[in-house]
């Protein structure tokens, strides 16, 4: 990998996104709108918002980053841009890292806005540090970016990229412990949930809700989410092809 090539790739991706206001709106505004809507859905029961709001604060960025990254990367593949880039002295690692860096910068803005809004305007009650909530939200967004980069290799159209969402995101959403504690699930489903990264993202958010200090469980959960993001990015680099189909 070469740092200058990685940063050049990230700069190019950000320049392209700057001219796509709909994508920027999806990335930045949708999580904010959704968490605000959720707050007023539970307007008569703020305790319910406190119990699931933090979890969704991590889930919403993952979903939006997955959608935008998978579609944007696939567009590069189908337009031939990816093939031209790989014909240059640009390594696969440089390309993937550049994409991750560009979308990661947007993930920082997205996560900061959603976390700040939830804590200071929507009165989300968290015992732990706001910075820990922001950290998990950011790791979730990076995981969504990594998953989007990875699945784009297996889709032939933008519609197919969206179709991967029920296969990749929805099972994690159902099994992450948002709707019921994971230890109360059917044993097979609990075992599956134990290997899904979103489960640890939700667990990490709940640790911040209940504990004022950094717990060993929080460090474990954050580390697992970060490791999964790194692993999927590595797999994404391995799936890059010089020929677009």
């Amino acid at each position: 990998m070469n740092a200058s090539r990685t940063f050049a790739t990230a700069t190019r991706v950000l320049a392209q996104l700057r001219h796509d206001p709909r994508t920027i709106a999806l990335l930045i505004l949708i999580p904010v709108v959704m968490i605000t809507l959720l707050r007023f859905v539970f307007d008569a029961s703020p305790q319910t918002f406190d119990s699931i709001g933090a979890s969704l604060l991590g889930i919403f960025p993952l979903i939006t980053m997955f959608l935008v990254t998978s579609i944007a990367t696939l567009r590069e593949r189908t337009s031939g841009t990816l093939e031209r880039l790989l014909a240059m002295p640009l390594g696969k690692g440089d390309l993937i890292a550049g994409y991750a860096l560009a979308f990661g910068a947007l993930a920082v803005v997205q996560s900061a806005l959603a976390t700040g809004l939830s804590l200071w305007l929507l009165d989300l009650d968290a015992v732990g540090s706001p910075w820990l909530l922001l950290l998990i939200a950011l790791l979730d967004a990076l995981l969504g970016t990594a998953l989007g980069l990875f699945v784009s290799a297996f889709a032939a159209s933008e519609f197919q990229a969206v179709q991967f969402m029920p296969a990749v995101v929805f099972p994690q959403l159902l099994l992450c412990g948002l709707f019921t504690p994971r230890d109360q699930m059917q044993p097979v489903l609990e075992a599956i949930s134990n290997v899904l990264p979103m489960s640890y993202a939700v667990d990490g958010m709940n640790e911040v809700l209940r504990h004022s200090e950094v717990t060993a469980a929080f460090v474990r959960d954050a580390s697992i989410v970060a490791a999964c993001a790194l692993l999927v990015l590595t797999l994404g680099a391995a799936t890059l092809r010089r020929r677009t189909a």
Side-chain angles (χ1 to χ4, degrees):
M1 290 179 59
N2 181 285
S4 62
R5 294 170 183 168
T6 298
F7 282 110
T9 300
T11 301
R12 180 185 63 81
V13 173
L14 288 174
Q16 289 178 334
L17 289 174
R18 185 181 62 185
H19 299 292
D20 189 352
R22 288 178 296 181
T23 298
I24 294 176
L26 177 63
L27 282 171
I28 304 301
L29 297 180
I30 292 301
V32 170
V33 171
M34 295 301 292
I35 201 73
T36 302
L37 177 62
L38 184 71
R39 168 63 182 86
F40 290 104
V41 166
F42 295 110
D43 190 50
S45 180
Q47 296 85 1
T48 304
F49 175 71
D50 290 338
S51 65
I52 68 172
S55 298
L56 291 175
L57 192 58
I59 291 172
F60 287 153
L62 188 154
I63 294 174
T64 56
M65 294 305 294
F66 172 84
L67 281 173
V68 171
T69 306
S70 60
I71 292 174
T73 308
L74 181 65
R75 193 176 298 162
E76 298 263 86
R77 293 177 185 270
T78 56
S79 66
T81 301
L82 181 63
E83 186 174 357
R84 292 192 295 271
L85 288 172
L86 290 176
M88 301 168 62
L90 181 69
K92 294 181 180 181
D94 295 321
L95 191 61
I96 288 293
Y99 275 97
L101 188 61
F103 284 106
L106 292 172
V108 171
V109 178
Q110 179 195 74
S111 301
L113 284 175
T115 302
L117 175 79
S118 300
L119 291 173
W120 294 304
L121 292 181
L122 302 180
D123 298 322
L124 178 67
D125 187 14
V127 175
S129 169
W131 295 107
L132 298 180
L133 282 179
L134 177 59
L135 174 62
I136 294 292
L138 178 57
L139 289 176
D140 285 347
L142 293 176
L143 176 61
T145 298
L147 289 170
L149 288 170
F150 177 65
V151 303
S152 68
F154 306 99
S157 66
E158 294 181 12
F159 179 67
Q160 285 186 9
V162 174
Q163 286 180 309
F164 272 101
M165 189 170 174
V168 175
V169 176
F170 286 178
Q172 295 193 65
L173 184 62
L174 293 175
L175 299 177
C176 69
L178 177 65
F179 301 104
T180 187
R182 292 192 290 124
D183 57 8
Q184 296 180 17
M185 295 179 184
Q186 201 274 340
V188 173
L189 295 181
E190 182 185 357
I192 295 174
S193 74
N194 288 336
V195 299
L196 298 177
M198 192 183 290
S199 300
Y200 297 95
V202 170
D203 288 349
M205 287 293 191
N206 289 332
E207 285 293 312
V208 180
L209 283 182
R210 294 191 291 260
H211 301 280
S212 58
E213 71 283 354
V214 178
T215 64
F218 175 85
V219 174
R220 178 206 64 193
D221 296 334
S223 299
I224 289 175
V225 176
C228 287
L230 181 60
L231 174 62
V232 176
L233 282 175
T234 303
L235 293 174
T239 60
L240 281 177
R241 300 186 299 270
R242 289 188 177 275
R243 289 188 179 182
T244 54

